Amino acid sequence: MQMPDGLPAEIDLSRPSAARVYDYFLGGAHNFEIDRQLAEQIAGMTPNLAATMRAGREFLRRAVRTLLDAGVDQFLDIGSGIPTVGNVHEVAQTANPKARVVYVDIDPVAVAHSRELLAGDDLTGVIHADLREPERILTEARGLGLLDFSQPLGILLAGVVHFVPDTDRPGDILATLRAAAAPGSHLVISHSTFEDQPQEMLDAQRLSKRTDTEITLRSRAEVTSFFGDWTILEPGVVHMPLWRPDSPSDVDEHPERFGAFGGVARYDRPTA
């Protein structure tokens, strides 16, 4: 198969990519026919899935703005995916032109497109790494020289922790990331769930087995545990549209239909 211009030759186009499927649902242009086929199959089973993807992106934008209001001006976005409209650096730098962002993703296509898009932007960086290697992510992020880990940091894990199976001990991974952060840092998580979900949504989630990144659905309690002892901001870990909506009209009668929880927590300075 001939590779599109600008993409590394090692990219496997014989299998769909979760990042590229996600890009397709968000209306992006960085996906291929094999990804679109899987996306359409999933959409046939769950017609509102594209809306679910957009709800996740909107949750992330609201969370980033909340962190900016709290004075956070640097972000580590792990599982960032392929660049689409409204990326973290666009949201952050609109409010604070000096905001710095390091993107991390496991998918070489996502990384290649991110580097192409961000070329010449001295306030952003891109790392090709797996969430399951948090020490490596932290080391490479420090090496870029963009993030100051002695200052408050926004750690963004939007729609990525559910790709880590229980056997890879996601709780330990999250603990490693939290331990590297300074007081005043914030952790943002959105995560797919089986709670309150119809059977067709659960069946669609199982199609993720056809990609390299199978999804593990978890309960609200499990998602909440990933914040450790950090202070969870109001309104808590809730269905994504319920997390600080811009307007009450943005929340429909069934926010649970989007199939994921979202939450934000702050690391308060320990008392002596």
Side-chain angles (χ1 to χ4, degrees):
M1 180 179 297
Q2 183 177 0
M3 293 300 297
D5 293 340
L7 296 185
E10 64 270 20
I11 291 175
D12 181 7
L13 296 185
S14 66
R15 289 173 57 85
S17 153
R20 297 192 303 258
V21 170
Y22 182 61
D23 175 73
Y24 174 78
F25 278 120
L26 289 176
H30 306 305
N31 50 77
F32 306 116
E33 182 60 28
I34 194 166
D35 308 304
R36 293 188 284 271
Q37 289 175 356
L38 178 58
E40 291 298 334
Q41 183 178 355
I42 295 173
M45 300 173 65
T46 55
N48 72 321
L49 192 57
T52 297
M53 300 294 187
R54 290 191 292 270
R57 180 64 61 163
E58 288 301 322
F59 161 74
L60 177 60
R61 291 171 186 162
R62 296 195 304 274
V64 168
R65 290 197 296 265
T66 296
L67 270 57
L68 289 162
D69 289 343
V72 176
D73 63 359
Q74 54 177 356
F75 301 87
L76 180 61
D77 185 0
I78 304 175
S80 52
I82 294 174
T84 56
V85 175
N87 275 300
V88 170
H89 73 281
E90 294 175 336
V91 175
Q93 291 172 4
T94 295
N96 181 351
K98 295 183 179 180
R100 292 150 286 145
V101 180
V102 171
Y103 291 110
V104 184
D105 205 89
I106 189 176
D107 190 310
V109 173
V111 171
H113 281 296
S114 295
R115 287 174 174 162
E116 180 182 13
L117 175 71
L118 300 172
D121 186 339
D122 295 334
L123 297 178
T124 62
V126 184
I127 295 172
H128 183 203
D130 189 329
L131 173 59
R132 292 170 294 185
E133 300 176 311
E135 294 90 350
R136 176 187 167 190
I137 290 174
L138 294 168
T139 297
E140 293 195 20
R142 291 186 179 99
L144 291 177
L146 287 171
L147 305 181
D148 181 355
F149 282 81
S150 69
Q151 298 298 315
L153 172 69
I155 303 173
L156 312 178
L157 296 166
V160 63
V161 182
H162 52 224
F163 291 122
V164 180
D166 293 337
T167 53
D168 286 331
R169 304 177 69 87
D172 291 348
I173 293 170
L174 270 291
T176 298
L177 294 172
R178 294 195 309 271
S185 295
H186 289 67
L187 175 60
V188 177
I189 299 175
S190 59
H191 193 298
S192 294
T193 183
F194 55 80
E195 291 189 8
D196 307 320
Q197 297 309 299
Q199 188 59 47
E200 58 266 25
M201 176 64 78
L202 302 180
D203 291 341
Q205 296 283 18
R206 293 190 184 98
L207 289 178
S208 68
K209 293 180 180 180
R210 290 178 50 190
T211 73
D212 291 327
T213 44
E214 181 180 350
I215 292 174
T216 299
L217 303 177
R218 295 188 172 96
S219 67
R220 187 196 306 264
E222 289 174 301
V223 176
T224 301
S225 72
F226 293 142
F227 292 104
D229 60 356
W230 288 22
T231 302
I232 297 178
L233 305 188
E234 292 295 334
V237 177
V238 296
H239 290 293
M240 292 187 300
L242 297 176
W243 199 90
R244 302 191 180 187
D246 294 327
S247 167
S249 63
D250 293 338
V251 181
D252 65 21
E253 295 181 353
H254 298 285
E256 74 281 357
R257 71 186 179 93
F258 296 103
F261 292 122
V264 179
R266 181 185 62 244
Y267 178 28
D268 293 325
R269 186 177 298 277
T271 57

